[in-house]
Amino acid sequence: MRLLESAATVAALLLFLASAACAPQGATGPARILLNTAADRATVEVVDLPVDQLRALAGERSYDQWTAILHVSVGGDQPAMVGTYTVVDGRLRFTPSFPLDPGRNYQVRYLPPALSDPANRDSGRGEVEAITATVALPARDATPVTTVLQVFPSSAEIPENQLRLYVHFSAPMGSKGGLDYIHLLDEQGVEVEDPFLPLDAEFWNDDRTRYTVFFDPGRQKRGIAPIADMGRSLTQGKSYTLVIDAQWRDGNGLPLKQSFERTLRVGAPDERPLDPQGWTITAPAAGSTNFLRVTFPEPLDHGLLLRRRSFFKGSLRRNVCLRMPGPRNHLAPAVAFQQPVDRRARHLFAR
């Protein structure tokens, strides 16, 4: 009989332990909000949740219902960030769709399910107050290091009807355009009024290390009304100072290491059609891996040259070395040739 009683006791104990293991493992409280940086992407988590709240969090919810429970934003009155919600290891986890910015504060509010339902909240059900916290990743080194490497065209003199400038940076920049940070000063140090195209679009290359500045084409091209009313942005025979403010932010949210200035001397407008007959092509020896060298009689558009930096013969890609004339001969790594050269070149490089 005693053996039977002992066996029944052990069975009851095992049954109790099994049911306890299957039940949500909660804490006695209070719940806490923390930033978990153990994984590749930081997550916002609510830990030490009471068992009743863990039970209430189980099951499917709409995205709006989840954001009512756990709201993560860049400010208390801002929309909730986009991400995914999971209940794992006794905690509620929010994984943002995009990485958190180092050094930026994020506001987090956790409202237990009993309070997040408007019907329950309005009827006075639920006695637990919302839990709030501010979380942030450590800020990166706040010492500015990004600089302006070069502005093309690199020659000391540019034509009066120049259409583009290319600003190269030493590291990736932020997404904001440059209209607020780029200025053109005349010889008296007075800022030229509206010289650039008033369109603050993202004129960046893929890695955000080159920004394209467009002079207002209405003031640069012949036969357009703005040129008659305002004149060209640049005037032949005069010099200008291009100024780039240090307040322009890089990809880490830091300002430039220093401002940048460069003097631009303005020559006669270049209104001649591009003539490929004036190009000098030096072919490599047969069977060699040397570059095919193309020398132009005048500078061509820097950005367009870099974009068209190879040509094809069948399926074979060939490199082309470019030598640009002027006091600083610029070597671009390659250029694209697609036959017929004269037609396409006129379209690609004409000012």
Side-chain angles (χ1 to χ4, degrees):
M1 180 66 71
R2 288 183 178 179
L3 290 176
L4 291 175
E5 290 177 351
S6 298
T9 301
V10 170
L13 179 61
L14 292 175
L15 181 61
F16 171 77
L17 292 175
S19 62
C22 295
Q25 298 300 305
T28 58
R32 297 179 296 116
I33 296 172
L34 56 82
L35 186 65
N36 188 346
T37 59
D40 292 338
R41 178 167 298 181
T43 58
V44 177
E45 302 184 358
V46 185
V47 300
D48 296 338
L49 287 167
V51 64
D52 61 320
Q53 293 185 28
L54 284 174
R55 288 196 183 101
L57 289 170
E60 297 294 328
R61 281 182 170 81
S62 69
Y63 188 76
D64 289 341
Q65 289 173 325
W66 276 122
T67 58
I69 295 172
L70 182 57
H71 187 278
V72 183
S73 68
V74 295
D77 58 347
Q78 297 298 310
M81 296 176 59
V82 178
T84 57
Y85 293 84
T86 54
V87 179
V88 59
D89 297 331
R91 58 184 62 193
L92 174 58
R93 174 177 296 163
F94 171 75
T95 304
S97 296
F98 303 96
L100 302 180
D101 294 329
R104 185 171 193 173
N105 288 333
Y106 294 88
Q107 305 300 319
V108 186
R109 185 197 70 228
Y110 169 70
L111 198 62
L115 286 177
S116 64
D117 186 339
N120 293 342
R121 183 174 63 246
D122 296 342
S123 65
R125 294 178 59 187
E127 299 178 354
V128 182
E129 295 292 333
I131 300 172
T132 61
T134 300
V135 299
L137 290 173
R140 294 191 179 104
D141 186 355
T143 303
V145 295
T146 304
T147 61
V148 176
L149 292 178
Q150 179 63 287
V151 174
F152 292 94
S154 58
S155 56
E157 183 176 281
I158 62 175
E160 187 183 52
N161 58 340
Q162 181 73 36
L163 279 183
R164 301 179 188 88
L165 300 175
Y166 297 95
V167 184
H168 287 249
F169 297 90
S170 62
M173 295 289 289
S175 60
K176 185 174 176 57
L179 285 184
D180 293 336
Y181 310 104
I182 301 176
H183 314 278
L184 190 67
L185 309 182
D186 63 18
E187 293 174 331
Q188 285 71 45
V190 177
E191 186 166 358
V192 178
E193 182 180 1
D194 299 329
F196 306 120
L197 183 66
L199 181 63
D200 199 14
E202 296 187 5
F203 296 125
W204 294 100
N205 64 346
D206 291 340
D207 62 2
R208 296 188 181 277
T209 57
R210 188 191 74 205
Y211 184 76
T212 304
V213 182
F214 289 88
F215 285 97
D216 189 341
R219 297 183 61 181
Q220 297 298 84
K221 293 190 175 184
R222 295 173 296 177
I224 302 179
I227 194 173
D229 298 336
M230 303 177 64
R232 279 182 165 145
S233 299
L234 305 171
T235 302
Q236 179 181 352
K238 294 187 176 182
S239 294
Y240 298 83
T241 302
L242 180 72
V243 179
I244 300 176
D245 294 337
Q247 286 71 30
W248 201 348
R249 300 277 170 169
D250 65 12
N252 293 324
L254 299 176
L256 297 177
K257 183 178 181 179
Q258 59 197 23
S259 61
F260 176 89
E261 294 188 8
R262 181 186 151 192
T263 300
L264 303 174
R265 189 173 68 248
V266 181
D270 186 353
E271 296 171 343
R272 296 170 299 169
L274 192 66
D275 183 11
Q277 299 301 320
W279 298 3
T280 301
I281 300 177
T282 305
S288 74
T289 59
N290 295 332
F291 285 110
L292 168 69
R293 187 179 301 274
V294 182
T295 304
F296 304 107
E298 61 178 341
L300 301 185
D301 187 287
H302 170 78
L304 291 175
L305 283 173
L306 292 182
R307 284 169 55 191
R308 288 153 178 85
R309 57 188 179 184
S310 63
F311 74 99
F312 297 86
K313 181 178 181 182
S315 61
L316 181 64
R317 179 181 293 240
R318 302 296 182 88
N319 293 322
V320 180
C321 180
L322 305 179
R323 181 169 295 280
M324 307 298 290
R328 295 189 63 183
N329 287 337
H330 170 63
L331 291 178
V335 67
F337 281 86
Q338 296 183 2
Q339 297 297 333
V341 169
D342 54 347
R343 290 183 184 177
R344 303 223 175 179
R346 281 192 177 92
H347 172 69
L348 295 177
F349 305 131
R351 298 186 189 279

